[in-house]
Structure formats: C-alpha cells, structure tokens
Amino acid sequence: MAILENIRKRTTVLILIIGLALFAFVISGVFNSNDLGMGKMGSAVAEVNGEAISIDDFRANVESMSRAYGPNMSSTQLVNMVYDQQVRKAILNQQFEDLGIDVESDQIIEFVKTSQYAQIPDFQDENGIFNEEIFKSAIADWRANDPLRYDAWLQDEKAIIEAAKERLYFNLIKGGVDATLAEGKFDYKMANDKVDIQYVRVPYTSIEDESIEVSKADIEAYVNEHKDKFEQDKARDLRFVYFEEKPSAEDENNVKDAITALLDDTVEYSESNDTYDTIPGFRNTKDMVAFLDRNSDSKYDTLFRSKLNLPSVVADTLMALSVGEIYGPYKDGDFYKLSRIMDKKANGSVKASHILISWEGAERANPAVTRTKEEAEAKAKELLVEAEKEGAVFSTLARDNSDGPSAPRGGDLGYFQEGEMADEFNDFCFGNPVGTVGLVETAFGYHIVRVDDKQDVVKVATLSREIEPSEETINTIFTDATKFEMSTTEDEPENFGDIAKESNYTVRPVNKIKEMDENLPGLGSQRSVVQWAFNEDTKVGDIRRFNVNNGYAIVQLTKKYKKGTMSAEDASATALPEIRRERKAEQIIAANKGKSMADIASANGTTVENASALTMKSPTLPGAGREPLVVGTAFGMEKDQTSDFIQGNSGVFMVKVVAKQPAADMDNYSTYATGLRSSAAARVNGSVYNALKDKAEIEDNRAIFY
C-alpha cells in the first residue's frame, strides 16, 4: 500500500512511464515464464559426464536442506550447497559403477556401528554396547508399525550406503599409497642437509616498469604459451549508483525536536469538558509505563542495569546522574533518546569468581564426582588456605580444581545482581568488600569465593524515537533515482559515469561476478541483478533500475567475460608483470655478463650477502624471501663453485657455495617414510575427488532455474 501511495503522488508523466514499464514487464514476464516453464519441465539442472541430475530431485533436495538449515542460509547458498553435493555424488557413483564397488547388509551394519545410530540407547545392550540384533529388530518393527520412521530410516540407509561406498573406495586408493625407505631418506635429507652460500642479487625493481615496452601481441603470445594459467569462467562487470532511502538532516532534526517536545508538560483543550488539561511530560510523569507505551518506540525496562549494560555512548553520563535527572536528547545508532534515572543502588552488581567442590549427591553434581560431603569440605578448606596465600593465582586454582562449569574460565562468574545466586552465595558476595576470599556452603557444594568487583546499578526509563526517512525524503529519493535512470538511458551508455559525476553521485564498480553469485558489495543479496546481468538479452551498456534494500540501484552492465582463455586485455594484469620480469632478467644478465660477484654488487649498488644453514625444505634467503630455484641450484653445486646467473622470484642471482653440511646417515628411515605415507593418505579424499572433478565434463544449468 505504501508503494502504491508513493506512485500515486508522482507526476502524471512519471506515472505514465512507470505504468508502461510495469506493463512491459508483466507482459514479457507472462510469455517468458510460459516459455521457460515448458522448457524446464523434466530437464536437468546439471550433467556430469553425460549423466543428468534431475531438476525435480534437485528441488526436493533443496527443499529438504531448507527445512534443515532454516533462515541461516539464503536460497542461493542452499542451491549451491546441494549442487556441490549432487555433483560429488554423481562423479563418485560413476567411479563405484566402473569399479564394481557395492556394499552388502553386513557392511551397512559395520558402518552403522560407527554412526550416530550406535549412540542411541535403544540399540544398546545392558553394557551400553551397540547390539546389531536389537537394531535389526527395531528396523523390522518400524517397517510393520511405524511407516514414517521406517521411511526416514530408508533415507538414512541411502546416505549410509553412499558413505560406506566412499569409505571403501578411498580406502582402496589409500591402500595403494606408499612411501619407500629411499623416499623417506630423501625427505630426511631435504630437511637436514645444509648449505652456506654467498650471493649477490640484482632486484627486478632496479629497472623501472615503464622502461619495458610490452605490446598487445606480446601479451597474446604469452597467454597462448601459458593457457593453463589464464583460464576463466563466465563472468560480468557491473557498475551502479545506489539511491538509499535514508533520513535527511531535516528528518533527524524533526525527530530530535519531536522527542524534545515530550520532555515537559503540555496543556490540551478538552472539548467535552470545556477545560484545559495538563498532560505530564517525560520529566514529570508518574506513570512511566503508560507514557512510554504512548510515546516511545521502546517499552519501559524495569530492570536495574550496571554500566556495562548501558549504551556505551552515554554509560558514563547516565551513571553520574542522580535519581530524577534526565539526559538528552542524544543519538544512539538510528534512534534519538531521552533517559531519566528512576532509581539507583550503590554496589548493586557484583563480579565474583569461585571454586566449586561438590560431593556425590549434591544438587547438579557431575556423575563423575564420588567424594563424600566430608571429603569435599576437607578439600575446600585446603584450597581456601591456598587461595588466601599472597601471590595465589585464583584462576589457576579454579581451572585445576573446580567442579563447576566456570572452571575453564578460571571460575569467573561475571557480574550478577541480588537474588540471582543461591542465598548463602549471594549474602557473602554482597556483604563483603572487593578482594574478600571465603568459604561458602550451598546445596551445590562448597565454594571458595573471591569478590572481584562491585558496581552501582541504575533503573533507567528511556524515551526513544527511530530516525526514519520522511515521506517527503522517500519521494525525493524516488524522483532522483528516476531522473538519473531516464537521463542515463536516453544518453550514450559510456556517459553513465559522467552523468553521475555531474549530480555528485558515487559510481560503484563490481567486477568479475559469477553466474551463481548472490551478494554484491554495497548492495547485499541481489540475485535478480546477477540474473539480469547474465541474461542473453542483456547487452554491454544496458542499464536497469532495481528495487534493493532500502532504496534503488541504477545498474549498468559494463563487460562480459566468456568461459575459456582470457583475452589479452583481461590477462594483462597478470601477464604484464611476468613478461616485464622476464625482460628485466634478460637486461640484467646482458649488462652484467662476465663480471664477478663483487663487480656485479658494485655496479648495481648492492652487496654480496651471506646465508647459512639453508635447507631445501625451507628455501628462504635473508633479505630476499623465498627463493627455491636459487637454493636448489646451490645444493647441486660443489664447495667453492660459483653459479651462472639464476632468475629468481625477486631478482637475478649469482651464488657461491661456501660450505655444505650433509646430514648424518641414519640406520633406518622408516619413520620418515611412514610420515610421508600418512601425509599422502590424509590428502587422498580431497585430492582424488578434485582430480576427478577437474577431468569430468560438467554442464552447469543452475542459472536457468535459479
């Protein structure tokens, strides 16, 4: 209704434009939706190596995930999660079928023994051990008497079968993963052989980038030679101007004035009584609950609050006020507020720590506690003596000895007010000064208590009004957005930025968005914008307005990227520095050919550096960073040998080996071989699946449906 009212108030021309746009949208939507609907019926959301993933099954899975995750995930996140799961399932099932991998009922039971079902008491014997006969009997009973639970089990059984197949498949691969003693020896040598070197480095930064000329043809040639480094997915570049429906300065002042006007009493004429009545304001009202119900966006909070629980912007100020005093109006986030101190208690909040020593049978005692009450008292008294010693670390004593849930926090209970703790505990904390340590008995056990801090508490009545954009501001933003949209669509597409600049609007670019992206920086979740950008009918330069969170976005599509090898323009950001580095290396080598290390250092304003105890596993040079090629070259040289030029990561190097320290031989390298084997086995699941996925032919049709 509010939107229709906004439109009604616009000018005739504006309404006509909007009406035509809406008409076109509705009509095109009818035909498009019918066409798409007919095309989508029975089609696939993806194909994996020619095997279709049904859109109907996919939607059912998305719906199931939606029930499981609720509002914690957006619809696009759910779609992407289900897609990843379904693709994984298809790829692995194809492997299972090719290899003849299947599981029998006894294998399912073995898997169940390690699943959550094994933890259910109904399926355990008197010793708490999973019993497969009890389990099978329960399944048979569900099938006969509880069809809903049996259907749920069938779904779980499918998941168990898939998981069991995966475990068998990956275990077979892990069984083939091995590391020989020779490999173990090599790994040992990589970590323990050492080399000392002298080196000179001429950094690439010694040559200005601008001095290296690189043509478009050079970049194209480089991309063709390194195609694997320049593969890209389909993507889009956008730019937009955001018209946010936010309050103006005038709106803020109006809210501030309105809340200020409620401070004092007002006089109103009563026509029925022909009298003037005095209406108490915030300062004098005796019925604060009713006053705030009528005039405030927040209700009366009758709880006492410590400084920590008050708005940070005014906490110090409010705590310094006396009962009856008022502070404000003040701005707190999106609200203007007035606060009045209704009551105050000195030391009304206490912070304490404790060490709980409970006994068997005490209230809420951990079942693992078996000590008697007498034993608990004796231990508590011993700990009290320790806690009272000068220099005692109470938090450590609590962590090591307390039976309470606060033990991991060093016994810290935080701040609490009167009545929140057991009576004996409460009386000790509120009746003793800060720093007091003592012993208290409650139904929960014996407590060694330390009073850590005390704070005053206040009861505050707060009159608040949210700062919202007025109807006039909303209308102005709507009109501004419409004018900008019309001016950009009537002009040349490339003038979008200039038109925005003339009106002092900020143009925000969003680059390389993917087809199934959802969030746009500065706009949040905007799936409709992404869908429009990837629509085949949307051309580069096209502009469209979208209703977004709290406003409007005028969006322009600025670039399309096709799936495949990047163009020279798109690859230049990556290729250009690499080409320059290669050419700088050529120049450096040519300029220093035939020179000694000392001459190279002198000619290039650098020095001959030393690096000691380098290993192949940690190929880092002091002052130069990680240089595996340089260090690896040094290990392949003899003592006192000087290398040729080496093109490293950060510059061109020349190296001289000063000393080599081979690691001492070991009798057996099985420990290192076992470590390599375990490390490789741990990577099997992820590495194997990723390799299969990279090799698979996957046709992703998600964007057609979502």
Side-chain angles (χ1 to χ4, degrees):
M1 291 299 293
I3 294 173
L4 293 175
E5 182 65 16
N6 290 344
I7 294 174
R8 186 183 63 79
K9 292 181 179 180
R10 306 294 185 266
T11 63
T12 303
V13 175
L14 192 56
I15 293 174
L16 179 60
I17 292 170
I18 296 167
L20 289 172
L22 288 172
F23 179 76
F25 173 77
V26 171
I27 294 301
S28 65
V30 169
F31 288 110
N32 290 342
S33 62
N34 286 343
D35 291 342
L36 289 172
M38 292 298 292
K40 291 179 185 178
M41 293 294 287
S43 54
V45 71
E47 284 191 11
V48 181
N49 295 323
E51 178 185 333
I53 297 177
S54 162
I55 183 59
D56 298 325
D57 292 342
F58 189 87
R59 283 173 173 155
N61 279 305
V62 171
E63 178 62 28
S64 176
M65 282 290 185
S66 178
R67 289 194 296 270
Y69 287 93
N72 297 322
M73 298 183 71
S74 70
S75 57
T76 305
Q77 288 174 317
L78 289 168
V79 167
N80 293 340
M81 182 196 301
V82 172
Y83 173 81
D84 290 339
Q85 292 175 346
Q86 293 295 304
V87 168
R88 177 185 173 86
K89 180 179 177 181
I91 289 173
L92 292 178
N93 278 339
Q94 289 168 5
Q95 292 293 304
F96 303 156
E97 187 174 344
D98 289 346
L99 297 172
I101 292 176
D102 205 349
V103 294
E104 304 297 334
S105 59
D106 58 334
Q107 291 172 298
I108 295 175
I109 292 297
E110 287 302 313
F111 193 93
V112 168
K113 288 179 180 179
T114 63
S115 73
Q116 60 184 6
Y117 276 98
Q119 308 304 318
I120 299 175
D122 292 350
F123 306 139
Q124 297 173 348
D125 58 23
E126 63 275 6
N127 298 315
I129 306 299
F130 176 78
N131 186 302
E132 63 180 86
E133 295 304 322
I134 296 175
F135 178 73
K136 289 178 180 178
S137 176
I139 299 296
D141 181 65
W142 295 347
R143 183 175 185 177
N145 303 310
D146 194 344
L148 290 177
R149 195 169 184 184
Y150 182 68
D151 286 343
W153 156 250
L154 291 179
Q155 294 301 314
D156 285 349
E157 186 182 45
K158 288 181 182 178
I160 288 171
I161 291 171
E162 291 298 322
K165 287 180 181 178
E166 279 195 31
R167 180 187 290 181
L168 179 58
Y169 173 72
F170 287 121
N171 282 345
L172 286 171
I173 296 174
K174 289 175 184 177
V177 173
D178 200 2
T180 64
L181 292 177
E183 289 171 321
K185 179 179 180 179
F186 181 74
D187 186 58
Y188 167 75
K189 292 285 190 180
M190 286 271 290
N192 294 282
D193 282 353
K194 293 181 173 61
V195 65
D196 298 343
I197 65 171
Q198 287 183 333
Y199 70 90
V200 64
R201 176 183 66 136
V202 182
Y204 297 127
T205 53
S206 63
I207 299 176
E208 295 290 337
D209 286 350
E210 291 73 16
S211 67
I212 307 295
E213 294 185 5
V214 181
S215 67
K216 181 179 178 181
D218 293 333
I219 297 175
E220 288 175 344
Y222 188 86
V223 170
N224 287 331
E225 291 171 7
H226 306 83
K227 284 187 177 181
D228 57 324
K229 294 172 63 176
F230 295 97
E231 290 296 313
Q232 67 178 6
D233 292 324
K234 188 190 296 186
R236 299 289 186 266
D237 285 351
L238 304 171
R239 58 179 176 176
F240 67 90
V241 173
Y242 179 35
F243 293 84
E244 184 180 4
E245 287 185 344
K246 61 181 181 180
S248 65
E250 185 179 356
D251 294 336
E252 285 201 23
N253 288 330
N254 288 339
V255 173
K256 184 178 180 181
D257 292 343
I259 206 169
T260 303
L262 291 167
L263 255 175
D264 297 313
D265 300 348
T266 57
V267 178
E268 293 183 3
Y269 174 71
S270 173
E271 188 174 350
S272 59
N273 299 327
D274 192 25
T275 59
Y276 287 91
D277 297 331
T278 299
I279 309 299
F282 183 66
R283 192 187 310 278
N284 297 319
T285 182
K286 303 299 183 186
D287 189 350
M288 186 60 75
V289 173
F291 183 88
L292 294 182
D293 282 346
R294 288 195 308 270
N295 300 294
S296 176
D297 288 340
S298 58
K299 303 298 182 184
Y300 181 32
D301 181 359
T302 58
L303 296 177
F304 280 88
R305 302 286 182 185
S306 66
K307 178 182 173 180
L308 292 174
N309 301 120
L310 295 174
S312 58
V313 292
V314 292
D316 288 326
T317 302
L318 294 181
M319 292 304 299
L321 297 179
S322 300
V323 174
E325 287 190 299
I326 293 174
Y327 178 70
Y330 62 90
K331 190 176 178 182
D332 182 16
D334 294 329
F335 290 83
Y336 263 114
K337 296 180 178 180
L338 288 168
S339 290
R340 174 178 157 188
I341 305 300
M342 305 299 290
D343 200 356
K344 199 168 189 176
K345 290 181 182 178
N347 296 326
S349 178
V350 170
K351 183 176 187 290
S353 301
H354 80 140
I355 304 168
L356 173 63
I357 306 300
S358 58
W359 60 80
E360 186 176 11
E363 192 169 332
R364 299 183 196 170
N366 191 312
V369 174
T370 58
R371 69 174 71 91
T372 65
K373 183 175 181 180
E374 291 73 19
E375 290 170 337
E377 183 178 13
K379 182 175 181 180
K381 288 179 177 178
E382 290 175 8
L383 285 169
L384 175 62
V385 172
E386 292 296 318
E388 289 178 326
K389 288 181 179 178
E390 186 175 352
V393 182
F394 194 92
S395 58
T396 301
L397 289 172
R399 272 192 290 269
D400 294 343
N401 298 282
S402 181
D403 296 323
S406 65
R409 303 190 302 273
D412 185 6
L413 295 170
Y415 285 91
F416 52 90
Q417 295 184 30
E418 290 224 40
E420 294 182 26
M421 297 293 184
D423 291 343
E424 303 88 348
F425 197 100
N426 180 89
D427 293 344
F428 179 87
C429 293
F430 283 93
N432 288 287
V434 173
T436 303
V437 177
L439 184 64
V440 175
E441 179 187 346
T442 71
F444 303 99
Y446 289 100
H447 308 256
I448 297 90
V449 186
R450 184 182 68 186
V451 181
D452 296 324
D453 189 26
K454 292 191 177 185
Q455 289 189 352
D456 294 347
V457 292
V458 291
K459 185 188 292 186
V460 183
T462 297
L463 169 61
S464 66
R465 287 281 179 90
E466 187 173 4
I467 305 168
E468 296 180 303
S470 63
E471 188 70 24
E472 181 181 354
T473 298
I474 291 173
N475 291 342
T476 299
I477 293 168
F478 179 90
T479 303
D480 290 344
T482 303
K483 286 180 179 178
F484 178 72
E485 178 191 14
M486 293 175 68
S487 61
T488 53
T489 52
E490 290 170 357
D491 210 319
E492 295 298 321
E494 59 268 21
N495 293 333
F496 184 96
D498 294 334
I499 296 170
K501 188 176 181 180
E502 289 172 5
S503 301
N504 293 319
Y505 297 143
T506 301
V507 178
R508 308 183 193 183
V510 182
N511 296 327
K512 296 284 183 79
I513 59 171
K514 302 294 179 60
E515 198 166 16
M516 285 307 295
D517 282 350
E518 178 180 29
N519 291 308
L520 300 180
L523 291 179
S525 178
Q526 298 299 332
R527 183 68 190 140
S528 60
V529 177
V530 178
Q531 288 173 321
W532 169 78
F534 281 89
N535 190 304
E536 291 183 1
D537 295 332
T538 305
K539 301 178 179 62
V540 172
D542 283 0
I543 295 167
R544 181 171 170 181
R545 177 174 61 178
F546 291 87
N547 292 347
V548 297
N549 304 327
N550 300 318
Y552 313 94
I554 313 303
V555 184
Q556 183 181 48
L557 177 64
T558 56
K559 192 168 185 177
K560 291 184 177 183
Y561 300 88
K562 293 181 180 179
K563 181 179 177 63
T565 306
M566 293 181 183
S567 65
E569 291 83 359
D570 297 338
S572 62
T574 302
L576 193 56
E578 296 181 6
I579 296 171
R580 282 175 174 157
R581 189 175 72 172
E582 289 183 359
R583 294 190 178 178
K584 286 179 181 181
E586 292 170 0
Q587 287 188 18
I588 292 169
I589 292 171
N592 293 280
K593 202 165 187 64
K595 295 178 181 178
S596 66
M597 289 176 60
D599 291 340
I600 293 172
S602 177
N604 292 275
T606 184
T607 58
V608 177
E609 304 282 351
N610 294 295
S612 302
L614 301 175
T615 68
M616 283 189 283
K617 269 206 168 180
S618 300
T620 300
L621 297 178
R626 188 173 174 81
E627 293 288 353
L629 181 59
V630 176
V631 175
T633 300
F635 269 97
M637 296 162 55
E638 299 297 327
K639 183 177 180 297
D640 296 326
Q641 184 180 352
T642 300
S643 73
D644 201 347
F645 292 105
I646 306 167
Q647 295 183 32
N649 291 332
S650 61
V652 174
F653 292 78
M654 184 176 283
V655 174
K656 179 181 179 181
V657 175
V658 176
K660 300 182 80 171
Q661 302 95 35
D665 288 333
M666 299 180 68
D667 293 334
N668 192 304
Y669 296 95
S670 60
T671 301
Y672 286 87
T674 300
L676 288 174
R677 192 180 304 117
S678 299
S679 177
R683 297 194 301 270
V684 161
N685 290 32
S687 299
V688 169
Y689 173 69
N690 288 333
L692 292 171
K693 186 179 178 183
D694 289 341
K695 185 182 176 183
E697 294 181 3
I698 301 174
E699 183 180 331
D700 182 359
N701 300 322
R702 278 176 294 171
I704 297 175
F705 301 94
Y706 297 97

